[in-house]
Amino acid sequence: GAGVSQSPSNKVTEKGKDVELRCDPISGHTALYWYRQSLGQGLEFLIYFQGNSAPDKSGLPSDRFSAERTGGSVSTLTIQRTQQEDSAVYLCASSLGSDRGDTEAFFGQGTRLTVV
Amino acid sequence: EDKVVQSPLSLVVHEGDTVTLNCSYEVTNFRSLLWYKQEKKAPTFLFMLTSSGIEKKSGRLSSILDKKELSSILNITATQTGDSAIYLCAVGGSNYKLTFGKGTLLTVNP
């Protein structure tokens, strides 16, 4: 695609429900990143994929958070049993990846998650 | 753990002023330093600095990487109200993980 696409753009969910956020990276980008940004805060790293594997999952806040990537393309971030503190904007970015050297990461428009 | 610290956290200036934003870092296996501008949701890419490209310029914006001091500055000259945004610094380290700072909120008043 022309850019990184995320869906939904906004999600309101009840506390305790599961949510799934989707990221469709730029075609050909092997690296994919998930970040979380709470109001007035910087970007908090969640997880990074190189192809389908995740060399670094250190940022996932708890075992309620999981992510997968299939076919080296689309990624989904799943949050189980959502809590109010999960409310934030979830940003996805992609880049050409380690096999193409250092390149900039391009961001999607994000998913604003509100847990009520 | 990789760390990126930006200063100041916020800055208010008048149109026409020149501003300097700072970014310092501690990272394992430094690969690159990137600057982004965030106005609404998605950060937009400004510059990438590496060992082979320590100075970049685009219009009124310029950036320099100081590998000895483990820092970078972003300069904006003749600021305009459209420059108002959060400016984010990120560093690429081991495994190409990008670590971001908390950002500098720049407000340019007419």
Side-chain angles (χ1 to χ4, degrees):
Chain A
V4 178
S5 178
Q6 290 188 246
S7 61
S9 55
N10 286 284
K11 176 74 177 177
V12 180
T13 189
E14 291 181 354
K15 179 179 170 182
K17 300 279 191 185
D18 298 352
V19 294
E20 213 171 75
L21 312 181
R22 176 188 167 105
C23 173
D24 200 343
I26 293 172
S27 179
H29 280 196
T30 61
L32 186 147
Y33 307 82
W34 282 100
Y35 291 89
R36 177 170 73 172
Q37 188 173 34
S38 301
L39 192 63
Q41 301 296 310
L43 272 66
E44 175 190 1
F45 171 80
L46 297 178
I47 189 169
Y48 155 69
F49 287 93
Q50 177 62 34
N52 290 336
S53 65
D56 193 334
K57 305 179 185 180
S58 63
L60 294 176
S62 74
D63 58 8
R64 296 186 295 105
F65 287 72
S66 63
E68 64 174 17
R69 189 179 185 195
T70 54
S73 181
V74 172
S75 175
T76 54
L77 177 69
T78 301
I79 309 173
Q80 295 178 308
R81 306 181 301 283
T82 51
Q83 304 292 314
Q84 288 185 326
E85 62 261 29
D86 299 335
S87 297
V89 175
Y90 289 80
L91 288 162
C92 175
S94 71
S95 72
L96 282 171
S98 60
D99 59 341
R100 302 287 291 272
D102 294 299
T103 61
E104 60 269 32
F106 296 91
F107 281 85
Q109 291 298 312
T111 294
R112 184 179 300 279
L113 175 67
T114 304
V115 182
V116 298
Chain B
E1 185 179 326
D2 298 347
K3 187 162 51 170
V4 178
V5 177
Q6 292 186 245
S7 65
L9 289 180
S10 66
L11 188 57
V12 180
V13 300
H14 292 290
E15 266 192 317
D17 288 351
T18 293
V19 298
T20 298
L21 311 182
N22 300 284
C23 175
S24 63
Y25 59 89
E26 295 174 24
V27 64
T28 305
N29 297 327
F30 172 87
R31 293 185 177 276
S32 58
L33 186 144
L34 298 90
W35 284 98
Y36 287 84
K37 179 182 181 183
Q38 186 178 29
E39 293 175 89
K40 292 181 181 176
K41 273 191 193 174
T44 54
F45 171 78
L46 294 175
F47 298 119
M48 183 171 73
L49 303 161
T50 66
S51 299
S52 58
I54 62 170
E55 190 166 350
K56 293 284 176 73
K57 182 175 170 61
S58 176
R60 297 177 295 103
L61 276 68
S62 62
S63 183
I64 298 173
L65 174 68
D66 188 336
K67 284 204 70 180
K68 185 178 175 185
E69 296 297 325
L70 305 183
S71 65
S72 174
I73 59 171
L74 176 68
N75 278 321
I76 309 175
T77 59
T79 51
Q80 303 171 357
T81 55
D83 295 328
S84 296
I86 297 172
Y87 289 84
L88 294 164
C89 173
V91 176
S94 298
N95 293 323
Y96 291 84
K97 171 182 169 180
L98 283 180
T99 301
F100 280 81
K102 292 190 184 301
T104 293
L105 173 62
L106 174 66
T107 303
V108 181
N109 290 325

